[in-house]
Amino acid sequence: ALSAFIVIFLAVVESAIPLYVLWALNWKKALAVGILMKHFVFEICLFWAECILKCSVKCHLQSCILKTMRRALMLWVHSSRMARDILTSSLILAMLSPLVALNWLNEKLCPGCSLHQLLIYRAPNVQNDDGREDEDDEDDEDGSSESGSGGEDGSRTR
């Protein structure tokens, strides 16, 4: 995991130095395009490195130098992918944490009242007229849906 943070730090530093010139010139659109280009070139290099690693497994590289280069390339690919996964998981965690805290607070303040049920306008265990629970996607025995089916005379049955 440490190598993932080191690789990302080096990639950010390598990208920030040339892009600083665009920021200093106040070229906002060129800076945005430069960031996108750096990201896509990085992803293309990762893809090429993965292709080389797949090819080198099939070719059975025997040279000591090539084995060392393969190990370094594998470390770079794995740490880059791990860093991407860590950043994605952190973003998901950061976005969901306020909602989890709100749900916890709701459970502590109003144990019987579910905020989720209020938001979707649905009460739990709603009974139909015939005594069955309301289920949205359940079909009848003949395969037709109850809500839109008509009787033999074309009238709606409910």
Side-chain angles (χ1 to χ4, degrees):
L2 179 64
S3 62
F5 291 114
I6 292 172
V7 165
I8 288 300
F9 174 74
L10 292 176
V12 167
V13 169
E14 184 269 333
S15 297
I17 293 172
L19 292 175
Y20 176 75
V21 175
L22 297 174
W23 182 75
L25 292 172
N26 202 19
W27 291 358
K28 303 294 183 193
K29 292 181 182 179
L31 178 65
V33 170
I35 291 170
L36 287 175
M37 188 187 85
K38 288 283 189 179
H39 174 71
F40 287 127
V41 168
F42 184 74
E43 290 294 324
I44 289 171
C45 289
L46 275 176
F47 176 74
W48 286 343
E50 288 174 344
C51 291
I52 289 171
L53 288 173
K54 289 177 186 175
C55 177
S56 65
V57 169
K58 294 178 183 175
C59 298
H60 302 293
L61 297 175
Q62 300 299 326
S63 172
C64 182
I65 295 172
L66 291 178
K67 284 184 180 180
T68 305
M69 289 176 57
R70 182 180 180 278
R71 287 180 49 211
L73 193 62
M74 188 182 306
L75 176 67
W76 180 69
V77 168
H78 285 245
S79 60
S80 297
R81 296 297 185 199
M82 184 186 300
R84 184 191 65 186
D85 292 343
I86 290 171
L87 288 174
T88 303
S89 299
S90 300
L91 179 67
I92 292 170
L93 179 67
M95 293 294 123
L96 290 179
S97 292
L99 298 174
V100 170
L102 182 64
N103 190 34
W104 177 82
L105 185 65
N106 179 42
E107 287 297 321
K108 293 298 177 188
L109 295 178
C110 303
C113 178
S114 174
L115 182 63
H116 181 263
Q117 294 297 330
L118 292 174
L119 289 175
I120 61 172
Y121 303 109
R122 182 176 174 184
N125 300 327
V126 174
Q127 300 283 326
N128 282 338
D129 292 339
D130 57 358
R132 294 187 315 168
E133 287 188 8
D134 186 23
E135 295 176 10
D136 295 335
D137 296 330
E138 184 178 316
D139 292 340
D140 289 340
E141 290 81 22
D142 61 350
S144 64
S145 177
E146 183 180 352
S147 63
S149 64
E152 287 140 4
D153 60 349
S155 64
R156 294 186 129 188
T157 59
R158 190 69 167 149

